[in-house]
Amino acid sequence: MLLRNPALTASLLSATTKKLYNHRYSTPTAFMASSGVACSLLVLCGKSLAENETAKAIKTNNTLKLPEDEKLSLVLHSEMDKSVMQGFFQVHSYMDSLSTNQFGRLLVWSPDLTSTHDVVSHNFCELPIGTVCIADVQTKGRGRSKNVWESPLGCLMFSFTMQMEDGRVVPLVQYVVSLAMTEAIKDICDKNGLPSIDVKIKWPNDLYLNGSKVGGILCTSHINQRSSCKCRIA
């Protein structure tokens, strides 16, 4: 079974329903092992009935893709065996805490992924605006000048999509996101009675703590036929 991190992924694959795969295989894990190729597991979940219906449609259409034709396995969060979700990203806690009208209401989560940015950038037409992709482990995160980030467990890795009518403000997005990250960290510390974490911004898009780089924001965009600009932020 050629998964990048079998320990993280195999238990989740085995927890999906058997009907997702060919009846010749006794378990989803057996199906994946038979393919002989690397595979990424993507779990889809929505905040409300509407977003969950969108998640079902995405899974049914099965049109999501990754670079270099990397294989994907799509499942719904409702199909997962919750007993194996301990220690992974807590989807229910995320959804319960969410209070937005659009942003983040459709979630794409993976225990082990090359890059969250690849998911949103290669599937703009298939994913609704505001979709968020989160990974527990990321092995080929993208940076500036083609730099690659390897992000082990415990890091926060996510990408999301947004749309704006005025493409001239796109260069400002990375500044806004950088500020939002530092303010969110301070807010979490204050609300939970934790010592302040003095994360600073190295403009335009790097986050530093005690002189060391601990994060970064990557924004890419394209213009669609209606002249509105879609952005991908990681």
Side-chain angles (χ1 to χ4, degrees), residues 180-190 195-199 207 214:
M181 290 296 297
T182 58
E183 292 302 310
I185 292 171
K186 293 176 182 177
D187 186 57
I188 290 173
C189 291
D190 290 342
S196 177
I197 300 177
D198 190 20
V199 177
L207 303 178
V214 294

Side-chain angles (χ1 to χ4, degrees), residues 38-103:
C39 177
S40 292
L41 173 67
L42 297 184
V43 179
L44 309 173
C45 184
K47 171 71 173 178
S48 69
L49 178 61
E51 287 90 21
N52 278 313
E53 288 299 319
T54 300
K56 290 179 182 178
I58 291 173
K59 178 194 166 187
T60 300
N61 294 336
N62 196 29
T63 55
L64 297 189
K65 56 187 179 295
L66 286 176
E68 301 178 358
D69 294 324
E70 181 180 348
K71 299 298 181 181
L72 287 174
S73 177
L74 297 177
V75 298
L76 302 177
H77 184 253
S78 59
E79 297 170 331
M80 302 298 295
D81 182 348
K82 303 307 183 291
S83 66
V84 302
M85 297 296 290
Q86 298 297 323
F88 294 99
F89 180 75
Q90 296 300 298
V91 174
H92 281 305
S93 295
Y94 165 83
M95 288 298 179
D96 289 343
S97 301
L98 195 65
S99 59
T100 60
N101 293 324
Q102 183 182 45
F103 177 76

Side-chain angles (χ1 to χ4, degrees), residues 149 182 185 197-203 205-216:
W149 280 75
T182 58
I185 292 171
I197 300 177
D198 190 20
V199 177
K200 298 183 181 299
I201 301 171
K202 180 181 179 181
W203 300 105
N205 61 348
D206 290 333
L207 303 178
Y208 274 72
L209 178 64
N210 298 327
S212 298
K213 184 175 179 178
V214 294

Side-chain angles (χ1 to χ4, degrees), residues 156-174:
L156 176 62
M157 290 84 63
F158 67 96
S159 299
F160 62 90
T161 61
M162 61 182 294
Q163 181 170 304
M164 55 191 67
E165 298 301 323
D166 188 352
R168 293 173 297 180
V169 302
V170 171
L172 303 178
V173 172
Q174 60 185 342

Side-chain angles (χ1 to χ4, degrees), residues 12-47:
L12 292 177
L13 284 171
S14 64
T16 57
T17 56
K18 296 179 183 180
K19 65 182 179 181
L20 298 175
Y21 302 95
N22 192 298
H23 68 276
R24 293 178 298 164
Y25 304 102
S26 58
T27 66
T29 304
F31 172 85
M32 300 307 302
S34 70
S35 64
V37 294
C39 177
S40 292
L41 173 67
L42 297 184
V43 179
L44 309 173
C45 184
K47 171 71 173 178

